[in-house]
Amino acid sequence: MNSTTAPMVAPAVAENDRFAIQCEVLRLSIRPIGPVLLAQYLLNCGVAALFAWQYSLSRALVWISLITVVTVMRGFFPQRLPDPFTPRSLRDAQRTHTVRTGIWELAHGLAGVLLFNPAQPEQQLLLGLMLMGMTLSSAFSVSFYIPATQLAITLLLAPVIVTGLWLGTPTMKAVAVIGLGLTAMMWKLVAERSRQLEENIGLRLNERSLREQALAGLRASEQAQAERLRFFSAANHDLRQPVMAIGLQAEVLRQQLDNGADAPVVQHTVMSLARAQQALEGLTNQLLEIGRIEAAVDPLQPVAVSLAPLLHDLARQAGDGRVTVRCPADAVAWADAVSLRRVLANLVDNAVKFTPRGRVLLAVRARRRDTGRAWRVEVRDGGVGIAADSQERVFGDFEQIGNVERNLQRGHGLGLAIVRRLAAQLGIQVSLRSAPGRGSVFGFELPAAPADAPVPPPAPAAQPRYGAARALRPGLAVLVVEDNAVVADSLCALLQQWQVVPRVYASAAEALALADLRALDAALCDIRLPGALDGIALAEKLQRQKPSLAIALVSADIGEATQRLATERGWHALRKPVQPAELHEVLLQAQQATGR
């Protein structure tokens, strides 16, 4: 993509620079030159008086009258430039400037006809030399626009050259020929001078552009730094709340156990601990998701996505029957399935949280666009609504309208921020219609999938079986390879509570050297382990030595690539913090595989 776009961008930038330079050249060419104009006019008056005395008063008066008219025109009626310039207005302004400059110099050049005395060779030579002097003195001040300057030189010298060749003495004819050479030389000089001026203007404009870019970059950096500071300050605030709750509830639980508190009281404390842990886990998962989106860790893989099964699955996960779906059965969109599901899941979660009563509707309808068929997806709720002046803010990080107290039961204000980032990756625009007390409608459009695109079957929804009737077999042997002592102790405590026998090792090398693989039913392998072998390499060795062993990779940063690898190898993938229900399900499957 870069190789094809770069050649297209460079000429556009060069053309823009050229346009700016031409605009600046024209501005310099018409700038006021009052003192110079007055000095030139006084010199012209002196020339007219000299030839009125030596040759003809009437001819001198006619010539000085022409000079007076063009001097008044240039001094009191300057050309007005358009603001701002456009390519067309620039061409028109250049044409007008060239005509005005031509009229100005033609009036001066007519001295070569009106003041030419055929009977006096001395006066002819004097007139020719004076007009050549005018050319040399005014060529570099009349204009900086090359066509206008070259026209001015031509109209200033052409009358005396033609008259001298026609009516002049042999000496005057020689001077006229010299005038032809002077015209050609002046054309070249003004062209070179103007090009040098354009180069200097280009350098100045480039310097100014670089300075503006540097200042804009500095301002953007400062703004980004302020945004990062605000982001981390808000994250620090929201992270500390559940951490503080966990610490306080743990101390309460310790004292309750020491004092022999009743089971209902202890159970209430345990539930409070679980809620704080869930809040902490939810926030860390959202922060991790934002980091992965901004780092573009998971590349987009557009496929045909059947919208009806996806929306029904999301409605079922929302629970309580509050989310209903209205979607045509043939609605198949072209998008990255994982990112689209995350966008919709966050929108549904946001709608449910801010709709205390009433239902949430997931609606899909067909649209026709110039680019082809599309599907309009909307998440409608009858909740609290959002004021017009706050609708842009809700997509910001840690922004929650109507939750200034930062009640963590209503989330952290990151759901719509994740939606904004994912939508930018997918190339969709999420719109919002809302009013206080009248609910909100979040919507976006997706292109329809090509007619011949295969539609993958929807993934079956995972049904946690933790707490199901079938319990784990006492004595089930589980290998635990975890280098974090706190995590390892917690896993051991939970496994022992289930009457499972854990075999704990801190590294892959230690596990391979000491563990009795024949006696194991399952293995939990942390991916990041000390030493030469990580958890994935350990899992591969374990699988080769005992193919029937149930293996689960455990890590806090399990991505799409790790998930695909685990699926291909027949392993499980558990994201830290591991949920007891997920771990229980893995061990149940391992127990079923052993047939015991």
Side-chain angles (χ1 to χ4, degrees):
M1 182 177 293
N2 292 338
S3 60
T4 57
T5 56
M8 298 174 62
V9 173
V13 174
E15 186 64 28
N16 290 338
D17 290 346
R18 179 66 182 168
F19 176 76
I21 290 171
Q22 289 179 344
C23 294
E24 186 64 21
V25 166
L26 188 59
R27 290 190 186 97
L28 292 174
S29 298
I30 67 165
R31 62 183 178 180
I33 51 172
V36 175
L37 201 62
L38 178 61
Q40 287 180 344
Y41 182 72
L42 293 177
L43 289 174
N44 291 330
C45 290
V47 172
L50 175 62
F51 279 89
W53 172 46
Q54 293 288 335
Y55 176 42
S56 170
L57 175 62
S58 59
R59 287 172 172 263
L61 288 175
V62 170
W63 181 71
I64 198 63
S65 298
L66 292 174
I67 296 300
T68 302
V69 170
V70 296
T71 300
V72 170
M73 176 193 73
R74 190 171 185 185
F76 295 96
F77 301 97
Q79 181 181 355
R80 298 186 180 277
L81 297 180
D83 186 23
F85 273 111
T86 64
R88 180 175 180 178
S89 64
L90 175 63
R91 289 193 298 270
D92 293 341
Q94 288 173 335
R95 193 177 301 112
T96 301
H97 172 66
T98 302
V99 170
R100 287 171 61 94
T101 303
I103 294 172
W104 164 265
E105 293 301 337
L106 178 61
H108 287 79
L110 285 178
V113 177
L114 295 174
L115 304 181
F116 191 89
N117 188 352
Q120 293 293 330
E122 294 83 359
Q123 293 182 16
Q124 296 175 17
L125 292 174
L126 178 63
L127 181 61
L129 293 175
M130 291 179 63
L131 289 174
M132 290 182 186
M134 286 183 184
T135 302
L136 292 172
S137 63
S138 65
F140 297 100
S141 62
V142 66
S143 177
F144 297 102
Y145 180 52
I146 294 177
T149 307
Q150 291 177 340
L151 178 64
I153 293 170
T154 302
L155 294 178
L156 185 58
L157 289 177
V160 72
I161 291 173
V162 172
T163 305
L165 291 174
W166 181 25
L167 301 176
T169 61
T171 304
M172 184 59 201
K173 291 179 181 179
V175 172
V177 172
I178 294 174
L180 289 173
L182 178 64
T183 302
M185 182 187 72
M186 294 300 296
W187 268 48
K188 183 177 180 181
L189 287 176
V190 298
E192 291 179 355
R193 181 214 57 170
S194 296
R195 277 193 290 270
Q196 291 175 356
L197 176 65
E198 291 179 359
E199 290 178 1
N200 292 335
I201 293 174
L203 291 173
R204 188 173 71 248
L205 291 176
N206 186 50
E207 180 183 355
R208 184 169 64 191
S209 176
L210 291 175
R211 186 167 57 250
E212 290 175 352
Q213 290 177 11
L215 291 174
L218 179 61
R219 287 192 293 268
S221 177
E222 292 175 347
Q223 182 177 0
Q225 184 69 19
E227 286 295 320
R228 281 194 294 270
L229 179 61
R230 191 188 71 83
F231 181 91
F232 287 115
S233 296
N236 175 65
H237 174 272
D238 283 10
L239 280 169
R240 284 179 178 273
Q241 291 196 79
V243 170
M244 177 179 175
I246 290 172
L248 295 177
Q249 292 292 346
E251 176 61 20
V252 170
L253 180 61
R254 185 186 67 81
Q255 294 187 20
Q256 288 175 345
L257 294 175
D258 289 343
N259 297 330
D262 295 336
V265 176
V266 174
Q267 186 67 24
H268 176 76
T269 304
V270 171
M271 291 301 297
S272 298
L273 274 169
R275 285 194 298 270
Q277 183 271 336
Q278 290 171 359
L280 180 61
E281 181 186 356
L283 178 55
T284 53
N285 286 342
Q286 287 183 316
L287 293 175
L288 177 62
E289 185 171 6
I290 287 176
R292 295 184 67 87
I293 295 170
E294 294 187 345
V297 173
D298 305 320
L300 297 181
Q301 297 178 340
V303 294
V305 181
S306 183
L307 295 178
L310 172 60
L311 297 181
H312 282 290
D313 187 33
L314 291 172
R316 184 169 54 253
Q317 290 182 11
D320 299 333
R322 295 183 56 197
V323 181
T324 57
V325 177
R326 191 172 66 206
C327 177
D330 63 341
V332 181
W334 187 253
D336 180 81
V338 175
S339 297
L340 177 60
R341 185 182 186 91
R342 286 152 73 185
V343 167
L344 288 168
N346 277 287
L347 289 176
V348 171
D349 181 66
N350 180 77
V352 170
K353 275 190 299 194
F354 290 94
T355 307
R357 294 177 298 275
R359 293 183 177 272
V360 174
L361 174 64
L362 303 182
V364 178
R365 63 179 183 272
R367 287 288 182 88
R368 288 287 180 182
R369 292 290 178 262
D370 296 337
T371 55
R373 195 180 184 194
W375 296 102
R376 175 75 180 176
V377 183
E378 292 183 343
V379 179
R380 306 175 185 174
D381 67 67
V384 295
I386 306 169
D389 58 354
S390 300
Q391 292 181 10
E392 189 68 25
R393 285 175 45 211
V394 297
F395 290 96
D397 299 328
F398 293 98
E399 289 286 354
Q400 285 186 306
I401 307 302
N403 189 20
V404 294
E405 70 277 10
R406 304 298 295 169
N407 181 1
L408 297 185
Q409 300 303 316
R410 300 174 66 181
H412 303 276
L414 289 175
L416 293 180
I418 292 173
V419 167
R420 170 174 56 84
R421 289 173 168 87
L422 287 172
Q425 276 193 346
L426 290 169
I428 60 177
Q429 181 70 36
V430 179
S431 63
L432 169 59
R433 300 195 312 273
S434 184
R438 301 182 61 183
S440 303
V441 179
F442 291 87
F444 56 88
E445 289 189 8
L446 296 170
D452 57 348
V455 182
Q463 298 295 330
R465 296 173 56 189
Y466 183 50
R470 186 175 183 188
L472 294 173
R473 171 176 53 83
L476 192 73
V478 177
L479 174 68
V480 178
V481 187
E482 171 62 63
D483 62 323
N484 187 295
V486 176
V487 175
D489 289 345
S490 300
L491 279 173
C492 286
L494 182 60
L495 294 175
Q496 290 170 353
Q497 189 68 30
W498 291 340
Q499 297 184 333
V500 171
V501 179
R503 311 288 173 82
V504 183
Y505 300 96
S507 69
E510 185 180 358
L512 292 172
L514 302 178
D516 182 6
L517 298 184
R518 293 171 299 177
L520 295 177
D521 298 297
L524 306 178
C525 302
D526 183 32
I527 291 182
R528 294 188 177 184
L529 292 173
L533 297 178
D534 62 6
I536 295 176
L538 172 62
E540 291 174 342
K541 287 183 175 293
L542 293 174
Q543 190 173 52
R544 283 197 297 268
Q545 296 185 34
K546 186 175 182 180
S548 62
L549 184 66
I551 298 174
L553 298 177
V554 182
S555 177
D557 53 359
I558 290 178
E560 297 296 330
T562 306
Q563 188 68 55
R564 284 196 300 270
L565 175 64
T567 303
E568 292 170 0
R569 303 292 176 86
W571 303 337
H572 303 275
L574 300 177
R575 186 191 301 276
K576 289 182 178 180
V578 176
Q579 297 299 310
E582 294 177 344
L583 179 57
H584 194 270
E585 174 66 18
V586 169
L587 298 182
L588 271 177
Q589 293 183 21
Q591 177 175 294
Q592 292 171 357
T594 61
R596 291 179 292 177

